[in-house]
Amino acid sequence: MSYSILVVDDSPLIRKMMKRTLSLSTLELGTVFEATNGREALALLEKEWIDVVLADIHMPVMTGSELIELMSRDELLGKIPVVVVSAERSEPAIERLKQLGICAHLMKPFTPEQVLETITHVLDQAAARSNA
Amino acid sequence: MSQTLRPSLLAGVTRAVLGDAAFLFCDDADDAAKLAGRFAEATIAFDAPCPGRVTLRLPWPLAVEAAANLLGCERDDPDADQNALPAAAELLNMISGPALEAWFGASAKWALGVPSTRAYEGTLPTQAPTGELVGFVVDGARIELEVVETGASHDSRADR
C-alpha cells in the first residue's frame, strides 16, 4: 500500500527538502502533494485522497494552527493525521498544538528515519482509531 | 531559564546543525577574522523570558552550498543559488529551536518568529557585537551567529 502525503509550507525550499526526505525514507509513497498555506491545503484535501498532512505553523493567508482547527471541526478531514513540522521545542507551545488536534510534532532538523518513524506512528494510530 | 546563554552552548548547537543538516563542517574561527564579500544574512526574533533575536551570517558561496546540500542538488544548479537565502533562513530556524531549548528549557514558554533574510556586500563587523557572537570557519570562510537580547517582550506569541 502506498501513502499520499500533503506537504504544507510557504517555503519552496522546505517543500523540496521534505519531498526529498520522504523519498529517502523508504516509506511506500504515493503522490506527494504540495500546498503553500492552509487555504490551499484545504482545497487539496477536498478533492484528493490524503493519508497524512505535514504542516508548517507560520504561513501567510492561513496558518498551520488555523488549518488544524478547521480540519478538526470536519467529520472527514478530522480523521486525517496532521504532523506539525517546526523548530519549536517549547513544551507549552507543543501542548497547545496537541490540543488543536495534531497527531505528532516533527522537530527540525530531521532525518529520513525520523520522518518514517513519525509517519508510520501516526498511520498506525489512525488505523487503530478507525478499527475501534 | 535553565541556564545563561553561553557561547559554548551556541557554538555546539550551531556546529551540530550545520554539519548534520547542511554538511557544512565548522572549524574554530580566528576572532580577528572578518566577513568580506557577498553574504547571506538571516534573522529570527524570539519571544521568551528574555526576548531577542538570532542572526546567522554566512558568505554567499556557503549559503549556495548549504542550499544545494539541503535540496540534494549540485552547487552549480540554478536552484541552489536561488535558494541561498531560504537555506540561510532554514538553517537559522533549525539552530534557533535547539539553542532556545537549551537556553530557556523545554518547559518554558518561548516561540520563534518568522525569519527574515537579506543579501548584501561589505565587510563585517562594522561595530562591536551587541550580543553573544560565535564564529566558525568552513572551507576557509567565516560564518557568524549572533544572539541579541532585546529586553522587552515584542509580542504575545509565547503567552498564547
Side-chain angles (χ1 to χ4, degrees):
Chain A
M1 180 176 178
S2 60
Y3 299 100
S4 292
I5 312 286
L6 172 58
V7 178
V8 193
D9 200 303
D10 56 319
S11 164
L13 175 92
I14 307 297
R15 296 199 303 274
K16 284 181 187 173
M17 261 178 62
M18 184 52 84
K19 285 181 87 167
R20 176 169 176 259
T21 307
L22 285 167
S23 70
L24 294 170
S25 73
T26 72
L27 181 76
E28 289 182 58
L29 272 182
T31 306
V32 180
F33 296 96
E34 293 181 43
T36 64
N37 57 59
R39 189 179 295 169
E40 277 187 25
L42 281 176
L44 270 167
L45 286 161
E46 294 289 349
K47 62 180 184 181
E48 303 287 353
W49 178 271
I50 307 283
D51 293 292
V52 178
V53 176
L54 302 177
D56 184 23
I57 289 298
H58 300 302
M59 291 181 288
V61 184
M62 184 189 284
T63 67
S65 301
E66 291 167 329
L67 168 67
I68 294 158
E69 209 163 346
L70 287 171
M71 285 179 68
S72 65
R73 284 189 211 154
D74 185 280
E75 191 181 349
L76 288 175
L77 299 185
K79 292 176 180 168
I80 301 172
V82 180
V83 177
V84 163
V85 184
S86 80
E88 295 285 355
R89 289 167 183 243
S90 165
E91 284 167 3
I94 294 166
E95 188 53 40
R96 185 177 160 270
L97 291 170
K98 285 183 178 165
Q99 285 168 4
L100 282 178
I102 68 165
C103 292
H105 175 243
L106 186 60
M107 288 185 202
K108 295 176 182 177
F110 46 75
T111 63
E113 292 76 19
Q114 288 166 329
V115 171
L116 176 67
E117 186 182 341
T118 302
I119 292 178
T120 304
H121 175 67
V122 299
L123 285 169
D124 287 347
Q125 279 184 329
R129 274 198 304 270
S130 64
N131 291 334
Chain B
M1 197 184 314
S2 64
Q3 55 185 294
T4 55
L5 179 64
R6 297 191 315 270
S8 61
L9 184 156
L10 265 185
V13 170
T14 306
R15 274 176 197 278
V17 170
L18 292 179
D20 293 347
F23 308 114
L24 298 180
F25 299 104
C26 301
D27 293 319
D28 291 334
D30 173 0
D31 284 344
K34 292 191 172 197
L35 277 163
R38 191 179 186 207
F39 310 100
E41 182 181 271
T43 298
I44 193 167
F46 58 88
D47 203 24
C50 301
R53 62 178 182 272
V54 190
T55 299
L56 175 69
R57 301 181 188 97
L58 66 169
W60 193 262
L62 282 185
V64 172
E65 184 175 342
N69 292 337
L70 290 173
L71 292 169
C73 66
E74 297 295 328
R75 286 172 67 168
D76 56 1
D77 188 315
D79 240 12
D81 192 70
Q82 285 164 14
N83 280 289
L85 287 176
E90 188 51 27
L91 288 175
L92 176 64
N93 204 21
M94 290 177 183
I95 291 166
S96 300
L100 294 188
E101 181 186 31
W103 186 6
F104 299 117
S107 59
K109 284 182 181 175
W110 53 267
L112 291 168
V114 178
S116 61
T117 58
R118 65 174 180 149
Y120 63 94
E121 290 198 32
T123 301
L124 287 176
T126 54
Q127 58 185 29
T130 51
E132 289 289 353
L133 180 77
V134 289
F136 306 95
V137 171
V138 177
D139 296 336
R142 183 176 169 88
I143 291 178
E144 287 182 357
L145 188 87
E146 185 176 15
V147 179
V148 176
E149 290 180 38
T150 52
S153 187
H154 48 262
D155 71 32
S156 59
R157 195 175 296 124
D159 295 327
R160 280 185 228 158

Short mmCIF file of all heavy atoms in Angstrom, two decimals, chain B residues 71-116:
data_model
loop_
_atom_site.label_atom_id
_atom_site.label_comp_id
_atom_site.label_asym_id
_atom_site.label_seq_id
_atom_site.Cartn_x
_atom_site.Cartn_y
_atom_site.Cartn_z
N LEU B 71 18.83 20.63 -0.65
CA LEU B 71 17.96 20.20 -1.76
C LEU B 71 18.42 18.91 -2.42
O LEU B 71 17.67 18.29 -3.17
CB LEU B 71 17.92 21.31 -2.83
CG LEU B 71 17.22 22.60 -2.44
CD1 LEU B 71 17.49 23.69 -3.48
CD2 LEU B 71 15.72 22.38 -2.29
N GLY B 72 19.68 18.54 -2.17
CA GLY B 72 20.21 17.34 -2.83
C GLY B 72 20.53 17.58 -4.29
O GLY B 72 20.37 16.68 -5.12
N CYS B 73 21.01 18.79 -4.60
CA CYS B 73 21.39 19.08 -5.98
C CYS B 73 22.86 19.55 -6.00
O CYS B 73 23.50 19.67 -4.95
CB CYS B 73 20.48 20.14 -6.60
SG CYS B 73 20.59 21.77 -5.85
N GLU B 74 23.38 19.80 -7.19
CA GLU B 74 24.77 20.25 -7.31
C GLU B 74 24.87 21.74 -6.99
O GLU B 74 23.90 22.48 -7.15
CB GLU B 74 25.28 19.99 -8.74
CG GLU B 74 25.31 18.52 -9.12
CD GLU B 74 26.29 17.70 -8.28
OE1 GLU B 74 27.33 18.26 -7.87
OE2 GLU B 74 26.00 16.52 -8.02
N ARG B 75 26.08 22.16 -6.59
CA ARG B 75 26.27 23.58 -6.24
C ARG B 75 26.02 24.50 -7.43
O ARG B 75 25.63 25.65 -7.26
CB ARG B 75 27.69 23.80 -5.75
CG ARG B 75 27.92 23.27 -4.37
CD ARG B 75 29.36 23.34 -3.99
NE ARG B 75 29.84 24.71 -3.85
CZ ARG B 75 31.01 25.02 -3.30
NH1 ARG B 75 31.81 24.08 -2.87
NH2 ARG B 75 31.37 26.26 -3.20
N ASP B 76 26.31 24.01 -8.64
CA ASP B 76 26.13 24.88 -9.82
C ASP B 76 24.72 24.79 -10.39
O ASP B 76 24.42 25.40 -11.43
CB ASP B 76 27.18 24.56 -10.90
CG ASP B 76 27.16 23.10 -11.31
OD1 ASP B 76 26.32 22.35 -10.77
OD2 ASP B 76 27.96 22.72 -12.17
N ASP B 77 23.85 24.06 -9.73
CA ASP B 77 22.44 24.02 -10.15
C ASP B 77 21.83 25.39 -9.85
O ASP B 77 22.01 25.91 -8.74
CB ASP B 77 21.72 22.92 -9.35
CG ASP B 77 20.31 22.66 -9.84
OD1 ASP B 77 19.58 23.64 -10.08
OD2 ASP B 77 19.94 21.49 -9.97
N PRO B 78 21.11 25.99 -10.80
CA PRO B 78 20.50 27.31 -10.54
C PRO B 78 19.60 27.32 -9.31
O PRO B 78 19.48 28.33 -8.63
CB PRO B 78 19.68 27.58 -11.81
CG PRO B 78 20.28 26.72 -12.86
CD PRO B 78 20.85 25.53 -12.17
N ASP B 79 19.00 26.17 -9.00
CA ASP B 79 18.14 26.06 -7.82
C ASP B 79 18.92 26.38 -6.54
O ASP B 79 18.35 26.96 -5.60
CB ASP B 79 17.62 24.62 -7.72
CG ASP B 79 16.11 24.56 -7.76
OD1 ASP B 79 15.50 25.60 -8.08
OD2 ASP B 79 15.56 23.49 -7.47
N ALA B 80 20.18 26.00 -6.51
CA ALA B 80 20.99 26.21 -5.31
C ALA B 80 21.19 27.71 -5.08
O ALA B 80 21.00 28.21 -3.96
CB ALA B 80 22.33 25.50 -5.43
N ASP B 81 21.56 28.44 -6.12
CA ASP B 81 21.77 29.88 -5.98
C ASP B 81 20.47 30.59 -5.61
O ASP B 81 20.45 31.47 -4.75
CB ASP B 81 22.35 30.46 -7.28
CG ASP B 81 22.86 31.87 -7.07
OD1 ASP B 81 23.89 32.04 -6.39
OD2 ASP B 81 22.21 32.82 -7.57
N GLN B 82 19.38 30.17 -6.26
CA GLN B 82 18.08 30.81 -5.99
C GLN B 82 17.61 30.56 -4.56
O GLN B 82 16.83 31.33 -4.02
CB GLN B 82 17.02 30.28 -6.96
CG GLN B 82 17.16 30.85 -8.36
CD GLN B 82 16.39 30.04 -9.39
OE1 GLN B 82 15.54 29.22 -9.04
NE2 GLN B 82 16.69 30.27 -10.66
N ASN B 83 18.08 29.47 -3.96
CA ASN B 83 17.62 29.11 -2.62
C ASN B 83 18.64 29.42 -1.52
O ASN B 83 18.51 28.94 -0.40
CB ASN B 83 17.25 27.63 -2.57
CG ASN B 83 15.87 27.38 -3.16
OD1 ASN B 83 14.86 27.76 -2.56
ND2 ASN B 83 15.82 26.80 -4.34
N ALA B 84 19.65 30.23 -1.87
CA ALA B 84 20.68 30.55 -0.88
C ALA B 84 20.09 31.26 0.35
O ALA B 84 20.39 30.89 1.50
CB ALA B 84 21.78 31.40 -1.51
N LEU B 85 19.25 32.26 0.13
CA LEU B 85 18.66 32.98 1.28
C LEU B 85 17.66 32.11 2.04
O LEU B 85 17.71 32.07 3.28
CB LEU B 85 18.01 34.29 0.81
CG LEU B 85 18.99 35.41 0.43
CD1 LEU B 85 18.24 36.63 -0.11
CD2 LEU B 85 19.85 35.82 1.62
N PRO B 86 16.76 31.39 1.33
CA PRO B 86 15.89 30.48 2.09
C PRO B 86 16.67 29.43 2.89
O PRO B 86 16.26 29.04 3.98
CB PRO B 86 15.03 29.81 1.00
CG PRO B 86 14.98 30.82 -0.10
CD PRO B 86 16.33 31.48 -0.08
N ALA B 87 17.80 28.99 2.34
CA ALA B 87 18.61 28.00 3.06
C ALA B 87 19.18 28.62 4.33
O ALA B 87 19.19 27.98 5.40
CB ALA B 87 19.73 27.47 2.18
N ALA B 88 19.64 29.87 4.24
CA ALA B 88 20.15 30.55 5.43
C ALA B 88 19.04 30.68 6.48
O ALA B 88 19.26 30.44 7.67
CB ALA B 88 20.69 31.93 5.06
N ALA B 89 17.84 31.02 6.02
CA ALA B 89 16.70 31.15 6.94
C ALA B 89 16.37 29.81 7.60
O ALA B 89 16.11 29.74 8.80
CB ALA B 89 15.48 31.68 6.19
N GLU B 90 16.39 28.76 6.81
CA GLU B 90 16.03 27.45 7.35
C GLU B 90 17.09 26.95 8.34
O GLU B 90 16.76 26.38 9.38
CB GLU B 90 15.83 26.46 6.20
CG GLU B 90 15.27 25.13 6.63
CD GLU B 90 14.02 25.23 7.50
OE1 GLU B 90 13.27 26.22 7.38
OE2 GLU B 90 13.80 24.33 8.32
N LEU B 91 18.35 27.17 7.99
CA LEU B 91 19.41 26.76 8.93
C LEU B 91 19.29 27.52 10.25
O LEU B 91 19.45 26.95 11.33
CB LEU B 91 20.79 26.97 8.31
CG LEU B 91 21.15 25.99 7.19
CD1 LEU B 91 22.49 26.38 6.56
CD2 LEU B 91 21.22 24.56 7.72
N LEU B 92 19.00 28.81 10.15
CA LEU B 92 18.83 29.62 11.35
C LEU B 92 17.66 29.09 12.19
O LEU B 92 17.76 28.98 13.42
CB LEU B 92 18.58 31.08 10.98
CG LEU B 92 18.29 32.00 12.16
CD1 LEU B 92 19.50 32.10 13.08
CD2 LEU B 92 17.89 33.39 11.67
N ASN B 93 16.58 28.75 11.51
CA ASN B 93 15.42 28.18 12.20
C ASN B 93 15.81 26.89 12.93
O ASN B 93 15.46 26.68 14.10
CB ASN B 93 14.36 27.88 11.12
CG ASN B 93 12.96 27.84 11.68
OD1 ASN B 93 12.68 28.38 12.74
ND2 ASN B 93 12.08 27.18 10.96
N MET B 94 16.56 26.05 12.23
CA MET B 94 16.97 24.77 12.82
C MET B 94 17.92 24.97 14.00
O MET B 94 17.91 24.19 14.94
CB MET B 94 17.68 23.92 11.75
CG MET B 94 16.79 23.39 10.67
SD MET B 94 17.83 22.49 9.49
CE MET B 94 16.62 22.02 8.25
N ILE B 95 18.75 26.00 13.93
CA ILE B 95 19.68 26.28 15.03
C ILE B 95 18.93 26.88 16.22
O ILE B 95 19.18 26.54 17.37
CB ILE B 95 20.79 27.26 14.56
CG1 ILE B 95 21.72 26.58 13.55
CG2 ILE B 95 21.58 27.80 15.74
CD1 ILE B 95 22.62 27.55 12.79
N SER B 96 18.00 27.78 15.92
CA SER B 96 17.35 28.54 16.98
C SER B 96 16.51 27.67 17.90
O SER B 96 16.47 27.90 19.12
CB SER B 96 16.48 29.65 16.38
OG SER B 96 17.27 30.52 15.61
N GLY B 97 15.84 26.66 17.33
CA GLY B 97 15.00 25.78 18.16
C GLY B 97 15.79 25.12 19.28
O GLY B 97 15.52 25.35 20.47
N PRO B 98 16.81 24.32 18.92
CA PRO B 98 17.57 23.67 20.00
C PRO B 98 18.36 24.66 20.87
O PRO B 98 18.56 24.41 22.06
CB PRO B 98 18.51 22.71 19.26
CG PRO B 98 18.42 23.03 17.82
CD PRO B 98 17.16 23.80 17.60
N ALA B 99 18.78 25.79 20.29
CA ALA B 99 19.53 26.76 21.10
C ALA B 99 18.64 27.36 22.18
O ALA B 99 19.03 27.47 23.34
CB ALA B 99 20.10 27.86 20.21
N LEU B 100 17.40 27.73 21.79
CA LEU B 100 16.49 28.32 22.77
C LEU B 100 16.03 27.28 23.78
O LEU B 100 15.82 27.60 24.96
CB LEU B 100 15.28 28.96 22.08
CG LEU B 100 15.59 30.17 21.19
CD1 LEU B 100 14.30 30.82 20.71
CD2 LEU B 100 16.44 31.19 21.91
N GLU B 101 15.88 26.05 23.32
CA GLU B 101 15.51 24.98 24.25
C GLU B 101 16.60 24.81 25.31
O GLU B 101 16.33 24.68 26.50
CB GLU B 101 15.31 23.66 23.50
CG GLU B 101 14.90 22.52 24.43
CD GLU B 101 14.85 21.19 23.70
OE1 GLU B 101 15.61 20.99 22.74
OE2 GLU B 101 14.03 20.35 24.10
N ALA B 102 17.87 24.83 24.85
CA ALA B 102 18.98 24.67 25.79
C ALA B 102 19.09 25.89 26.71
O ALA B 102 19.47 25.77 27.88
CB ALA B 102 20.28 24.47 25.02
N TRP B 103 18.73 27.05 26.20
CA TRP B 103 18.85 28.29 26.96
C TRP B 103 17.73 28.39 28.01
O TRP B 103 17.98 28.59 29.19
CB TRP B 103 18.82 29.46 26.00
CG TRP B 103 19.07 30.81 26.60
CD1 TRP B 103 19.43 31.10 27.90
CD2 TRP B 103 18.97 32.06 25.92
NE1 TRP B 103 19.57 32.45 28.05
CE2 TRP B 103 19.29 33.07 26.87
CE3 TRP B 103 18.66 32.43 24.61
CZ2 TRP B 103 19.30 34.43 26.54
CZ3 TRP B 103 18.66 33.78 24.29
CH2 TRP B 103 18.98 34.76 25.23
N PHE B 104 16.49 28.28 27.55
CA PHE B 104 15.36 28.53 28.43
C PHE B 104 14.77 27.26 29.06
O PHE B 104 14.02 27.34 30.02
CB PHE B 104 14.25 29.26 27.67
CG PHE B 104 14.67 30.60 27.14
CD1 PHE B 104 14.71 30.84 25.78
CD2 PHE B 104 15.05 31.61 28.01
CE1 PHE B 104 15.11 32.07 25.29
CE2 PHE B 104 15.45 32.84 27.53
CZ PHE B 104 15.49 33.08 26.17
N GLY B 105 15.05 26.11 28.45
CA GLY B 105 14.46 24.86 28.92
C GLY B 105 13.20 24.56 28.14
O GLY B 105 12.48 25.47 27.71
N ALA B 106 12.90 23.28 28.00
CA ALA B 106 11.74 22.88 27.19
C ALA B 106 10.43 23.25 27.86
O ALA B 106 9.42 23.45 27.20
CB ALA B 106 11.78 21.37 26.94
N SER B 107 10.42 23.37 29.21
CA SER B 107 9.15 23.63 29.88
C SER B 107 8.78 25.11 29.88
O SER B 107 7.67 25.47 30.27
CB SER B 107 9.20 23.10 31.31
OG SER B 107 10.26 23.72 32.00
N ALA B 108 9.69 25.97 29.46
CA ALA B 108 9.39 27.41 29.44
C ALA B 108 8.56 27.76 28.21
O ALA B 108 8.57 27.04 27.21
CB ALA B 108 10.69 28.21 29.42
N LYS B 109 7.85 28.89 28.32
CA LYS B 109 7.09 29.38 27.16
C LYS B 109 8.01 30.24 26.32
O LYS B 109 8.51 31.27 26.79
CB LYS B 109 5.90 30.21 27.61
CG LYS B 109 4.75 29.40 28.14
CD LYS B 109 3.59 30.33 28.51
CE LYS B 109 2.43 29.54 29.07
NZ LYS B 109 1.35 30.42 29.53
N TRP B 110 8.27 29.81 25.11
CA TRP B 110 9.02 30.65 24.18
C TRP B 110 8.56 30.30 22.77
O TRP B 110 8.03 29.22 22.53
CB TRP B 110 10.53 30.48 24.33
CG TRP B 110 11.05 29.07 24.27
CD1 TRP B 110 11.27 28.24 25.32
CD2 TRP B 110 11.42 28.34 23.10
NE1 TRP B 110 11.75 27.04 24.88
CE2 TRP B 110 11.86 27.07 23.53
CE3 TRP B 110 11.42 28.64 21.73
CZ2 TRP B 110 12.29 26.09 22.64
CZ3 TRP B 110 11.86 27.66 20.85
CH2 TRP B 110 12.28 26.41 21.31
N ALA B 111 8.75 31.22 21.86
CA ALA B 111 8.29 30.99 20.49
C ALA B 111 9.19 31.72 19.51
O ALA B 111 9.68 32.82 19.80
CB ALA B 111 6.85 31.49 20.33
N LEU B 112 9.39 31.08 18.39
CA LEU B 112 10.19 31.69 17.32
C LEU B 112 9.28 32.46 16.38
O LEU B 112 8.14 32.07 16.14
CB LEU B 112 10.89 30.59 16.52
CG LEU B 112 12.01 29.84 17.23
CD1 LEU B 112 12.40 28.60 16.44
CD2 LEU B 112 13.20 30.75 17.41
N GLY B 113 9.81 33.54 15.84
CA GLY B 113 9.07 34.29 14.84
C GLY B 113 9.34 33.73 13.45
O GLY B 113 9.74 32.57 13.30
N VAL B 114 9.13 34.57 12.46
CA VAL B 114 9.37 34.17 11.06
C VAL B 114 10.71 34.77 10.63
O VAL B 114 10.93 35.97 10.80
CB VAL B 114 8.24 34.69 10.16
CG1 VAL B 114 8.49 34.32 8.70
CG2 VAL B 114 6.90 34.12 10.62
N PRO B 115 11.61 33.97 10.08
CA PRO B 115 12.92 34.52 9.69
C PRO B 115 12.80 35.54 8.56
O PRO B 115 11.95 35.42 7.67
CB PRO B 115 13.71 33.30 9.20
CG PRO B 115 12.95 32.10 9.63
CD PRO B 115 11.53 32.53 9.78
N SER B 116 13.65 36.55 8.63
CA SER B 116 13.78 37.48 7.51
C SER B 116 15.20 37.35 6.97
O SER B 116 16.10 36.95 7.71
CB SER B 116 13.52 38.92 7.96
OG SER B 116 14.47 39.30 8.94
#
